[in-house]
Amino acid sequence: MNYKILNFKLSNNIKDLINKLASEHSLEPEDYLKLIQDASPEDDLYLAELAVKARYKIYKNFVYVRGLIEISNICKNNCYYCGIRRDNKNCERYRLMPEQILECACEGYRLGFRTFVMQGGEDLFFTDEILCRIIKDIKNKFPDCAVTLSLGERSYESYKILREAGADRYLLRHETADKTHYNKLHPAEMSYDNRIKCLYNLRGLNYQVGCGFMINSPFQTLDNIAQDLKFIENFKPEMCGIGPFIPHHDTEFKDLKIKPGTLELTCRLLSIIRLIHPAILLPATTALGTIHPQGRELGIKAGANVVMPNLSPVSVRRKYELYDNKICTGEESAQCLNCLEARMRSIGYEIVSARGDFKN
Ligand code: SAH
């Protein structure tokens, strides 16, 4: 009897926190921790219900699509968790030439995409000059499209030149808001401070900026995730990419036997982030689709509102292997889009062909 009463009080407490988050868009780090640690399945349903309501007011039941072009898997960095890190000798390297990238964009435009995301390793071939040419070519050909870059850490000057060439948005996951944790995931030549400085530089240059992190990355604690949420609350990104960490067989972490981040925690975090920033653009990621057959649908139902089908040439898709068993590496772009459209329709959502800018 006593036990039941105690239980009731606990879950009531969580519900209070959820209500507080929905109305104030902010919690203390210890309350974020409590929420991610103790939410019951019913609490998750309540979180998702409020997240979906908050999102509906701004974006209705629309899901925005971004055409992902994986321009190169050549990388000068050696992030310990990543399948395309520099020291992975088993990774078969490729680089798309500017004409190929443009072809992907043309195909994407025909299919209805109005945002192109160029993502890749930190490949020195892609100088400012070459990237500016590509960005200008895309923007001249398709003035109604947005260009998003996800090319890692560059100098302020470089971000400035790319912005002036027409890039609209930049995705750079902060990976973790805890410096000690950051140093466990990256070699000494990379620094947390520089990662964060890059994010603020991008912000200063008026990009729409996206940060983000992996769930259950090696050595991550729930406390770290609470810090990530506080960081996201304070930084106020226009976009946020979160997805489960999935081990890659050719990385430092292959022997740790770390389990991928769970569907449950990822969805809980999507709902929380939606309530922190109701207008945020939040993808249901490919990694989430990889750990569960309905991962992306469930992500959208938890509060996400973006999907990023692959526009890369099928011949290179398998090579952009950040983690094991990545989905969508075999199909043509059109098939990828059709599949996602059907999946979204099946849960009552509609993929729209629009730039899908951040609504303030
Ligand atoms: N070079 C760019 C793009 C990196 S790849 C950059 O530095 O931003 C995009 C994202 O994939 C990374 O930010 C990381 O969070 C994620 N990623 C890398 N390895 C992963 C893994 N093993 N499991 C899940 N996500 C991973």
Side-chain angles (χ1 to χ4, degrees):
M1 188 62 190
N2 272 341
Y3 174 73
K4 271 207 169 143
I5 290 169
L6 181 67
N7 232 347
F8 172 74
K9 274 200 178 146
L10 271 179
S11 76
N12 219 9
N13 201 357
I14 295 285
K15 209 169 170 192
D16 291 344
L17 288 181
I18 297 172
N19 287 332
K20 183 170 182 211
L21 178 62
S23 61
E24 296 175 14
H25 314 294
S26 166
L27 289 179
E28 293 308 318
E30 57 270 26
D31 287 339
Y32 280 128
L33 177 63
K34 211 181 284 173
L35 193 50
I36 52 187
Q37 189 164 261
D38 297 335
S40 66
E42 297 89 84
D43 294 327
D44 281 337
L45 283 177
Y46 186 58
L47 253 180
E49 187 190 319
L50 295 192
V52 165
K53 263 191 200 150
R55 185 196 52 199
Y56 191 86
K57 280 191 202 153
I58 304 167
Y59 295 109
K60 301 281 184 279
N61 64 334
F62 297 144
V63 174
Y64 297 97
V65 273
R66 317 312 193 183
L68 182 64
I69 309 173
E70 298 157 332
I71 66 170
S72 171
N73 69 356
I74 298 172
C75 192
K76 71 175 172 62
N77 286 334
N78 205 32
C79 308
Y80 297 140
Y81 46 85
C82 181
I84 65 167
R85 74 205 167 87
R86 178 188 67 223
D87 287 353
N88 181 7
K89 300 287 178 274
N90 295 326
C91 173
E92 203 185 312
R93 304 289 167 174
Y94 76 90
R95 167 189 295 143
L96 297 183
M97 286 297 112
E99 315 77 73
Q100 290 177 288
I101 297 172
L102 216 63
E103 255 169 56
C104 294
C106 288
E107 163 80 350
Y109 192 85
R110 250 182 289 131
L111 292 170
F113 288 93
R114 295 297 177 266
T115 292
F116 302 111
V117 182
M118 285 193 262
Q119 186 179 86
E122 293 195 18
D123 178 350
L124 297 174
F125 170 83
F126 288 100
T127 57
D128 295 341
E129 199 185 335
I130 290 182
L131 285 173
C132 282
R133 190 68 267 147
I134 301 170
I135 295 165
K136 284 181 184 160
D137 283 349
I138 296 181
K139 296 292 279 198
N140 284 337
K141 217 168 159 132
F142 308 117
D144 55 337
C145 288
V147 168
T148 305
L149 302 178
S150 179
L151 300 169
E153 297 170 28
R154 301 176 76 94
S155 66
Y156 179 85
E157 288 67 37
S158 172
Y159 287 150
K160 184 164 187 279
I161 293 167
L162 301 175
R163 177 84 184 102
E164 284 162 0
D168 305 275
R169 310 178 188 142
Y170 206 104
L171 301 174
L172 186 76
R173 290 187 176 183
H174 63 286
E175 311 296 0
T176 169
D178 181 284
K179 206 171 186 163
T180 312
H181 183 218
Y182 187 93
N183 290 334
K184 291 180 185 169
L185 295 176
H186 302 92
E189 72 258 23
M190 294 182 73
S191 91
Y192 171 78
D193 290 342
N194 194 55
R195 194 90 183 161
I196 301 300
K197 191 171 113 196
C198 285
L199 281 168
Y200 280 96
N201 283 345
L202 291 161
R203 160 59 38 81
L205 288 163
N206 220 12
Y207 280 91
Q208 292 176 44
V209 186
C211 62
F213 62 96
M214 295 176 285
I215 292 133
N216 208 35
S217 63
F219 315 110
Q220 184 185 56
T221 61
L222 290 182
D223 221 6
N224 291 149
I225 298 182
Q227 285 172 269
D228 288 319
L229 293 174
K230 202 63 195 174
F231 174 78
I232 290 165
E233 183 193 309
N234 292 330
F235 182 67
K236 303 184 172 61
E238 283 79 18
M239 308 171 284
C240 184
I242 64 162
F245 162 75
I246 304 173
H248 183 285
H249 61 278
D250 280 320
T251 61
E252 306 276 322
F253 295 138
K254 65 172 187 299
D255 295 326
L256 291 182
K257 302 259 179 298
I258 296 166
K259 293 217 176 68
T262 64
L263 175 78
E264 188 191 28
L265 183 55
T266 307
C267 287
R268 186 177 303 158
L269 289 165
L270 286 169
S271 300
I272 294 173
I273 294 169
R274 170 65 58 202
L275 290 175
I276 296 174
H277 297 305
I280 202 165
L281 291 154
L282 197 57
T285 56
T286 306
L288 187 56
T290 298
I291 59 157
H292 188 282
Q294 262 82 51
R296 286 166 301 176
E297 291 90 320
L298 293 165
I300 296 289
K301 285 167 90 171
N305 64 339
V306 170
V307 287
M308 298 172 68
N310 205 319
L311 277 184
S312 309
V314 178
S315 58
V316 304
R317 282 195 200 176
R318 245 179 278 274
K319 299 180 190 160
Y320 197 80
E321 188 186 46
L322 304 175
Y323 46 82
D324 289 345
N325 304 316
K326 189 174 158 216
I327 55 166
C328 309
T329 56
E331 296 112 64
E332 294 292 339
S333 306
Q335 286 173 298
C336 257
L337 179 63
N338 285 340
C339 161
L340 270 169
E341 275 173 343
R343 283 170 181 270
M344 294 303 123
R345 228 177 292 123
S346 78
I347 54 166
Y349 286 78
E350 191 190 334
I351 283 193
V352 287
S353 177
R355 275 176 54 123
D357 286 293
F358 179 76
K359 291 194 187 170
N360 213 341

Coordinates of all heavy atoms in Angstrom, one line a residue, residues 75 77 79-84 119-122 150-153 170-175 190 195 212-215 241 243-248 251 287 320-324, ligand 1:
C75 N 38.5 11.9 -44.6 CA 38.5 12.8 -43.5 C 39.8 12.9 -42.8 O 40.5 11.9 -42.7 CB 37.4 12.2 -42.5 SG 37.1 13.4 -41.2
N77 N 40.1 13.9 -39.8 CA 40.0 13.7 -38.3 C 39.9 12.2 -38.0 O 39.7 11.3 -38.9 CB 38.7 14.4 -37.9 CG 38.9 15.9 -37.8 OD1 40.0 16.3 -37.6 ND2 37.8 16.6 -37.9
C79 N 37.9 10.8 -35.2 CA 36.9 10.7 -34.1 C 36.7 9.2 -33.8 O 36.4 8.4 -34.8 CB 35.5 11.3 -34.5 SG 35.7 13.0 -35.1
Y80 N 36.9 8.8 -32.6 CA 37.0 7.3 -32.3 C 35.8 6.5 -32.6 O 35.8 5.3 -32.8 CB 37.4 7.1 -30.8 CG 38.7 7.7 -30.4 CD1 38.8 8.4 -29.1 CD2 39.8 7.6 -31.2 CE1 40.0 8.9 -28.7 CE2 41.0 8.2 -30.8 CZ 41.1 8.8 -29.6 OH 42.3 9.4 -29.2
Y81 N 34.6 7.2 -32.7 CA 33.4 6.4 -32.8 C 33.0 6.3 -34.3 O 32.0 5.6 -34.6 CB 32.2 7.2 -32.1 CG 32.2 8.7 -32.4 CD1 31.6 9.2 -33.5 CD2 32.9 9.6 -31.5 CE1 31.7 10.6 -33.8 CE2 32.9 10.9 -31.8 CZ 32.3 11.4 -32.9 OH 32.4 12.8 -33.1
C82 N 33.7 7.0 -35.2 CA 33.1 7.2 -36.6 C 33.8 6.2 -37.6 O 35.0 6.1 -37.6 CB 33.4 8.6 -37.0 SG 32.7 8.9 -38.6
G83 N 33.0 5.6 -38.4 CA 33.4 4.6 -39.3 C 34.3 5.2 -40.4 O 35.1 4.4 -41.1
I84 N 34.2 6.5 -40.7 CA 35.0 7.0 -41.8 C 36.2 7.8 -41.2 O 36.8 8.6 -41.9 CB 34.2 7.9 -42.8 CG1 33.6 9.1 -42.1 CG2 33.1 7.1 -43.4 CD1 33.0 10.2 -43.1
Q119 N 27.0 16.8 -46.9 CA 27.7 16.3 -45.7 C 28.9 15.5 -46.1 O 28.9 14.9 -47.1 CB 26.7 15.5 -44.9 CG 27.4 15.1 -43.5 CD 26.5 14.2 -42.7 OE1 26.4 13.0 -42.8 NE2 25.8 14.9 -41.8
G120 N 29.9 15.6 -45.3 CA 31.1 14.8 -45.6 C 32.1 14.8 -44.5 O 32.0 15.6 -43.5
G121 N 33.1 14.0 -44.7 CA 34.3 14.1 -43.8 C 35.0 15.4 -44.1 O 34.7 16.1 -45.0
E122 N 36.0 15.7 -43.2 CA 36.8 16.9 -43.4 C 37.9 16.6 -44.5 O 39.0 16.2 -44.2 CB 37.4 17.4 -42.1 CG 36.3 17.9 -41.2 CD 36.8 18.7 -40.0 OE1 37.9 19.2 -40.1 OE2 36.0 18.8 -39.0
S150 N 27.3 20.4 -43.9 CA 27.7 19.7 -42.7 C 29.0 19.1 -43.0 O 29.2 17.9 -43.3 CB 26.6 18.6 -42.5 OG 26.9 17.8 -41.4
L151 N 30.0 20.0 -42.9 CA 31.4 19.6 -43.4 C 32.4 19.8 -42.2 O 33.6 20.0 -42.5 CB 31.7 20.5 -44.6 CG 30.8 20.2 -45.8 CD1 31.0 21.3 -46.9 CD2 31.0 18.8 -46.4
G152 N 31.9 19.8 -41.0 CA 32.8 19.9 -39.9 C 33.4 21.3 -39.6 O 32.7 22.3 -39.9
E153 N 34.5 21.2 -38.9 CA 35.1 22.5 -38.3 C 35.9 23.2 -39.4 O 36.8 22.6 -40.0 CB 35.9 22.1 -37.1 CG 35.1 21.5 -36.0 CD 36.0 20.9 -34.9 OE1 37.1 21.5 -34.6 OE2 35.5 20.0 -34.2
Y170 N 23.9 25.4 -41.4 CA 25.1 24.5 -41.1 C 24.8 23.6 -40.0 O 24.3 24.0 -38.9 CB 26.3 25.4 -40.8 CG 27.6 24.7 -41.1 CD1 28.4 25.1 -42.2 CD2 28.1 23.7 -40.3 CE1 29.6 24.5 -42.5 CE2 29.3 23.1 -40.6 CZ 30.0 23.5 -41.7 OH 31.2 22.9 -42.0
L171 N 25.0 22.3 -40.2 CA 24.9 21.3 -39.2 C 26.2 20.9 -38.6 O 27.1 20.5 -39.4 CB 24.2 20.0 -39.7 CG 22.9 20.1 -40.4 CD1 22.5 18.8 -41.0 CD2 21.8 20.5 -39.4
L172 N 26.4 21.1 -37.3 CA 27.6 20.7 -36.7 C 27.3 20.2 -35.3 O 27.1 21.0 -34.4 CB 28.6 21.9 -36.6 CG 30.0 21.6 -36.0 CD1 30.9 20.9 -37.1 CD2 30.7 22.9 -35.5
R173 N 27.1 18.9 -35.2 CA 26.7 18.4 -33.9 C 27.8 18.7 -32.8 O 29.0 18.6 -33.2 CB 26.6 16.9 -33.9 CG 25.3 16.5 -34.7 CD 25.2 15.0 -34.6 NE 24.0 14.5 -35.3 CZ 23.6 13.2 -35.2 NH1 24.3 12.3 -34.6 NH2 22.5 12.9 -35.8
H174 N 27.4 19.2 -31.7 CA 28.4 19.5 -30.6 C 29.0 18.2 -30.1 O 30.0 18.2 -29.5 CB 27.9 20.4 -29.5 CG 26.7 19.8 -28.8 ND1 25.5 19.7 -29.3 CD2 26.7 19.3 -27.5 CE1 24.7 19.1 -28.3 NE2 25.4 18.9 -27.3
E175 N 28.3 17.1 -30.3 CA 28.7 15.7 -29.9 C 28.5 15.4 -28.4 O 28.1 14.3 -28.0 CB 30.1 15.3 -30.4 CG 30.4 15.5 -31.9 CD 29.5 14.8 -32.9 OE1 28.6 14.0 -32.5 OE2 29.7 15.0 -34.1
M190 N 41.9 17.2 -31.4 CA 40.6 17.9 -31.6 C 40.2 18.5 -30.2 O 40.5 17.9 -29.2 CB 39.5 16.9 -32.0 CG 39.8 16.3 -33.4 SD 38.5 15.2 -33.9 CE 37.2 16.3 -34.3
R195 N 35.1 23.2 -31.2 CA 33.8 22.7 -31.7 C 32.7 23.8 -31.3 O 31.9 24.2 -32.1 CB 33.5 21.4 -31.1 CG 32.3 20.7 -31.7 CD 32.8 19.8 -32.8 NE 31.8 19.1 -33.6 CZ 31.9 18.6 -34.8 NH1 33.1 18.6 -35.4 NH2 30.9 18.0 -35.4
G212 N 23.9 19.0 -31.9 CA 23.3 17.7 -31.7 C 24.3 16.7 -31.1 O 25.5 17.0 -30.9
F213 N 23.8 15.5 -30.7 CA 24.7 14.6 -30.1 C 24.1 13.1 -30.3 O 23.0 13.0 -30.8 CB 24.8 14.9 -28.6 CG 23.5 14.8 -27.8 CD1 23.1 13.6 -27.2 CD2 22.6 15.9 -27.9 CE1 21.9 13.6 -26.5 CE2 21.3 15.8 -27.2 CZ 21.0 14.6 -26.5
M214 N 25.0 12.2 -30.0 CA 24.6 10.8 -30.1 C 24.1 10.3 -28.7 O 24.5 10.8 -27.7 CB 25.8 9.9 -30.5 CG 26.3 10.2 -31.9 SD 27.7 9.3 -32.3 CE 29.0 10.1 -31.4
I215 N 23.2 9.3 -28.8 CA 22.6 8.8 -27.5 C 23.3 7.4 -27.2 O 23.3 6.6 -28.1 CB 21.1 8.7 -27.6 CG1 20.5 10.1 -27.7 CG2 20.5 7.9 -26.5 CD1 19.5 10.3 -28.7
G241 N 20.3 17.7 -34.4 CA 20.4 16.3 -34.9 C 20.7 15.3 -33.7 O 21.8 15.4 -33.2
G243 N 20.6 11.1 -32.5 CA 20.3 9.8 -32.9 C 21.1 8.8 -32.1 O 22.1 9.2 -31.4
P244 N 20.7 7.6 -32.1 CA 21.5 6.6 -31.3 C 22.9 6.4 -31.8 O 23.1 6.5 -33.0 CB 20.7 5.3 -31.4 CG 20.0 5.5 -32.7 CD 19.6 6.9 -32.8
F245 N 23.9 6.3 -30.9 CA 25.2 5.8 -31.2 C 25.1 4.4 -31.6 O 24.4 3.6 -31.0 CB 26.2 6.0 -30.0 CG 27.4 5.1 -30.2 CD1 28.4 5.6 -31.1 CD2 27.6 3.9 -29.6 CE1 29.5 4.8 -31.3 CE2 28.7 3.2 -29.7 CZ 29.7 3.6 -30.6
I246 N 25.7 4.0 -32.8 CA 25.7 2.6 -33.2 C 27.1 2.2 -33.5 O 27.8 2.9 -34.3 CB 24.8 2.5 -34.5 CG1 23.4 3.0 -34.3 CG2 24.8 1.0 -35.0 CD1 22.6 3.0 -35.6
P247 N 27.6 1.2 -32.8 CA 29.0 0.9 -33.0 C 29.4 0.5 -34.4 O 28.5 0.1 -35.2 CB 29.2 -0.4 -32.1 CG 28.0 -0.4 -31.2 CD 26.9 0.3 -31.9
H248 N 30.6 0.9 -34.8 CA 31.1 0.5 -36.1 C 32.3 -0.5 -35.9 O 33.1 -0.3 -35.0 CB 31.6 1.8 -36.9 CG 32.1 1.5 -38.2 ND1 33.3 0.8 -38.5 CD2 31.5 1.6 -39.5 CE1 33.5 0.7 -39.8 NE2 32.4 1.2 -40.4
T251 N 36.2 0.6 -35.5 CA 36.6 1.7 -34.7 C 37.2 1.3 -33.4 O 37.1 0.1 -33.0 CB 35.4 2.6 -34.4 OG1 34.4 1.9 -33.7 CG2 34.7 3.2 -35.7
A287 N 19.9 7.0 -38.3 CA 20.4 6.1 -37.2 C 19.2 5.5 -36.4 O 19.2 4.4 -36.1 CB 21.4 6.8 -36.3
Y320 N 29.8 5.4 -47.3 CA 29.6 6.4 -46.3 C 29.0 5.7 -45.1 O 27.9 6.0 -44.6 CB 28.7 7.6 -46.8 CG 28.8 8.8 -46.0 CD1 29.8 9.7 -46.2 CD2 27.9 9.1 -45.0 CE1 30.0 10.9 -45.4 CE2 28.0 10.3 -44.2 CZ 29.0 11.1 -44.4 OH 29.1 12.3 -43.7
E321 N 29.9 4.9 -44.5 CA 29.4 4.0 -43.4 C 29.9 4.6 -42.1 O 31.0 4.3 -41.6 CB 30.0 2.6 -43.7 CG 29.4 1.6 -42.7 CD 30.2 0.2 -42.9 OE1 31.4 0.2 -43.0 OE2 29.5 -0.8 -43.0
L322 N 29.1 5.4 -41.5 CA 29.5 6.0 -40.2 C 29.4 4.9 -39.1 O 30.1 5.0 -38.1 CB 28.5 7.2 -39.8 CG 28.4 8.3 -40.9 CD1 27.4 9.3 -40.5 CD2 29.8 9.0 -41.1
Y323 N 28.4 4.0 -39.3 CA 28.1 3.0 -38.3 C 27.6 1.7 -39.0 O 27.3 1.8 -40.2 CB 27.1 3.4 -37.2 CG 25.9 4.1 -37.9 CD1 24.8 3.4 -38.4 CD2 25.8 5.5 -38.0 CE1 23.8 4.0 -39.0 CE2 24.7 6.1 -38.6 CZ 23.7 5.4 -39.1 OH 22.6 6.0 -39.7
D324 N 27.5 0.6 -38.3 CA 27.2 -0.7 -39.0 C 25.7 -0.7 -39.3 O 24.8 -0.1 -38.7 CB 27.5 -1.8 -38.0 CG 29.0 -2.1 -37.9 OD1 29.8 -1.5 -38.7 OD2 29.4 -2.8 -37.0
Ligands
SAH1 N1 32.4 15.7 -40.6 C1 31.1 16.3 -40.3 C2 30.0 15.3 -40.5 C3 30.2 14.1 -39.5 S1 29.1 12.7 -39.8 C4 31.2 16.8 -38.9 O1 32.2 16.8 -38.2 O2 30.2 17.4 -38.5 C5 27.6 13.3 -39.0 C6 27.3 12.8 -37.6 O3 27.3 11.4 -37.6 C7 28.4 13.1 -36.6 O4 28.3 14.4 -36.1 C8 28.1 12.0 -35.5 O5 27.3 12.6 -34.4 C9 27.3 11.0 -36.2 N2 28.0 9.7 -36.1 C10 29.3 9.4 -36.4 N3 29.6 8.1 -36.0 C11 28.5 7.6 -35.5 C12 28.1 6.3 -35.0 N4 29.0 5.3 -34.9 N5 26.8 6.1 -34.6 C13 25.9 7.1 -34.7 N6 26.2 8.3 -35.2 C14 27.4 8.5 -35.6

